Amino acid sequence: MADGKKTDDYESRDIGGPGKGYEPPMSTPRSGGSAPIIAATNNPVFPVLSYCGSSILMTVTNKYVLSGFGFNLNFFLLAVQSIVCVVAIQMCKSSGIITYRDFNTDEARKWFPVSLLLIGTIYTSTKALQFLSIPVYTIFKNLTIILIAYGEVLWFGGSVTGMALFSFGLMVLSSVIAAWADIQHALQSYGHSETEASAKVSTLNAGYMWMMFNCLCSAAYVLGMRKRIKLTNFKDFDTMFYNNVLSIPILLVSSLLLENWSSANIEINFPPLQKNRIILAMIFSGLSSVFISYTSAWCVRVTSSTTYSMVGALNKLPIALSGLIFFDAPITIPSVSAIGVGFVSGIVYSLAKVKQSSGPKAGILPTTSVPMSASSQSARDSFKS
């Protein structure tokens, strides 16, 4: 099941934020033959491409499973992904590639509320992705950034600059254009049948509803994780391990109680001719979360957190384009315009964060934090890095 501002929901189950205590191990070269390998791992091109590739792989495989064959066992899909992720990182730990803490009951109790928020985040994400195209999903996902930014203003004394506020306007505009383009395409494609057009619009509306829930859950998860991580002092793979381990029993029980496990429904979800491909896609999506976690830490180590932020913004474009290439997402002037505006909004936001981090800590009304009492100030300071 990272900093939620820079990665999608499926990436959220991986890490607590890039560059927080984990660096992919580098072996000291013992001979001249290993020098080219070390040089390659330190070349920023490889981690950047690896991070982008793993992000696209996860989004495409999940879309393939969720919308290709009437798949409706969403909780089961998420449980499989968590199990695959735990098994993979445990194998990496046993091999000495990575390290993280052993399971501790007290730490699990402290982290459990965050895991519940994560389950809500990834479940609503799968439902939204089931009803919406990848480009629309990617565009609407930007709205989470706005909620997180103002959550940080309220609870962490953060601030939002004028440039960031402008990027938020672009994000909202791109979402409006994407929704309008989707609805217009549905009406034009099924205009000959009022029943079909109405059903298609209802499907889109369901997707927008799940997307709204997903943005709220994602923001709550990121903000809640930021508070809780101070209590546990988790590093990247500690967060990844506990997120998945604590999610597995809840997801399995939810699947058994809430999802249809009749033989007829299992055949719908796993048709004989496509069964193996669907299972492989489910496993790949679980492994992709490990790849994203590793490559994001690798990207920060080899480049910088600023470069990583820009890569996260630029990565939205190939993810959106993957929906146009691999699936039947409508290619119209409004839909392409929405992708372009969303892409620009991500770049503007990243530049705003870079400018803000390098300048004085000043905000612009109505985006600055309000004066607070001494007790509130003390509580806020206790959560600061």
Side-chain angles (χ1 to χ4, degrees):
M1 286 176 147
D3 191 334
K5 303 178 189 177
K6 303 182 184 97
T7 56
D8 291 328
D9 293 324
Y10 293 104
E11 299 173 37
S12 297
R13 74 168 69 196
D14 307 335
I15 56 178
K20 294 183 180 178
Y22 172 74
E23 292 188 357
M26 288 176 52
S27 301
T28 302
R30 303 177 191 175
S31 64
S34 61
I37 298 177
I38 299 300
T41 58
N42 287 327
N43 188 326
V45 174
F46 294 105
V48 167
L49 292 178
S50 298
Y51 170 70
C52 294
S54 57
S55 300
I56 295 172
L57 176 63
M58 169 166 282
T59 304
V60 170
T61 51
N62 276 293
K63 180 65 176 177
Y64 174 81
V65 173
L66 290 167
S67 63
F69 307 98
F71 194 89
N72 55 37
L73 299 177
N74 296 53
F75 282 120
F76 178 68
L77 168 65
L78 300 178
V80 170
Q81 291 176 342
S82 291
I83 292 171
V84 170
C85 188
V86 170
V87 171
I89 64 174
Q90 185 60 47
M91 291 175 62
C92 291
K93 182 180 180 180
S94 300
S95 303
I97 299 175
I98 64 174
T99 181
Y100 56 85
R101 307 180 193 185
D102 293 327
F103 186 83
N104 180 279
T105 304
D106 184 58
E107 291 179 336
R109 179 181 56 80
K110 293 177 181 178
W111 196 257
F112 186 70
V114 178
S115 292
L116 287 179
L117 288 173
L118 177 60
I119 291 172
T121 298
I122 59 178
Y123 180 76
T124 55
S125 176
T126 62
K127 298 297 291 186
L129 196 58
Q130 192 167 357
F131 293 116
L132 300 176
S133 64
I134 290 179
V136 173
Y137 171 84
T138 304
I139 292 168
F140 271 84
K141 193 64 193 169
N142 280 337
L143 298 179
T144 306
I145 297 175
I146 304 176
L147 298 177
I148 294 173
Y150 278 96
E152 290 184 338
V153 169
L154 293 174
W155 293 307
F156 297 99
S159 63
V160 180
T161 64
M163 189 174 183
L165 198 61
F166 176 66
S167 74
F168 295 163
L170 291 177
M171 291 174 189
V172 173
L173 177 62
S174 66
S175 300
V176 172
I177 296 175
W180 176 77
D182 248 11
I183 294 174
Q184 286 295 111
H185 181 266
L187 294 176
Q188 292 173 4
S189 300
Y190 301 95
H192 59 280
S193 173
E194 185 175 341
T195 303
E196 290 184 6
S198 177
K200 182 63 177 177
V201 172
S202 297
T203 299
L204 293 175
N205 289 336
Y208 301 142
M209 180 193 70
W210 282 113
M211 196 71 242
M212 178 186 68
F213 291 149
N214 176 250
C215 290
L216 293 172
C217 288
S218 298
Y221 164 70
V222 172
L223 295 170
M225 182 175 64
R226 179 173 173 181
K227 281 193 172 185
R228 284 286 171 173
I229 209 166
K230 309 302 179 184
L231 300 177
T232 58
N233 196 30
F234 277 177
K235 307 303 180 185
D236 294 343
F237 283 99
D238 297 325
T239 304
M240 185 179 184
F241 173 69
Y242 274 92
N243 274 341
N244 286 278
V245 166
L246 295 177
S247 298
I248 290 172
I250 300 174
L251 292 171
L252 288 176
V253 171
S254 298
S255 179
L256 292 174
L257 295 180
L258 302 177
E259 294 179 331
N260 184 1
W261 281 94
S262 64
S263 56
N265 192 57
I266 292 176
E267 188 170 347
I268 292 175
N269 284 271
F270 300 98
L273 296 179
Q274 308 293 340
K275 181 178 180 180
N276 292 335
R277 276 197 279 178
I278 293 176
I279 292 175
L280 284 175
M282 293 169 70
I283 294 174
F284 268 124
S285 62
L287 291 174
S288 296
S289 64
V290 183
F291 298 153
I292 291 171
S293 179
Y294 185 88
T295 55
S296 61
W298 184 18
C299 190
V300 171
R301 177 180 65 80
V302 174
T303 58
S304 67
S305 56
T306 300
T307 302
Y308 176 80
S309 176
M310 290 301 298
V311 170
L314 297 173
N315 196 33
K316 298 291 184 182
L317 181 61
I319 291 177
L321 292 178
S322 69
L324 302 178
I325 296 172
F326 297 109
F327 300 95
D328 58 347
I331 304 176
T332 62
I333 293 178
S335 65
V336 174
S337 299
I339 293 174
V341 174
F343 176 64
V344 171
S345 70
I347 295 178
V348 173
Y349 179 74
S350 295
L351 292 174
K353 296 301 289 183
V354 171
K355 184 178 179 181
Q356 185 180 19
S357 63
S358 61
K361 303 295 183 182
I364 300 175
L365 290 176
T367 59
T368 53
S369 55
V370 297
M372 59 182 69
S373 65
S375 59
S376 298
Q377 178 70 35
S378 177
R380 191 197 80 180
D381 291 341
S382 67
F383 292 121
K384 283 187 176 181
S385 300

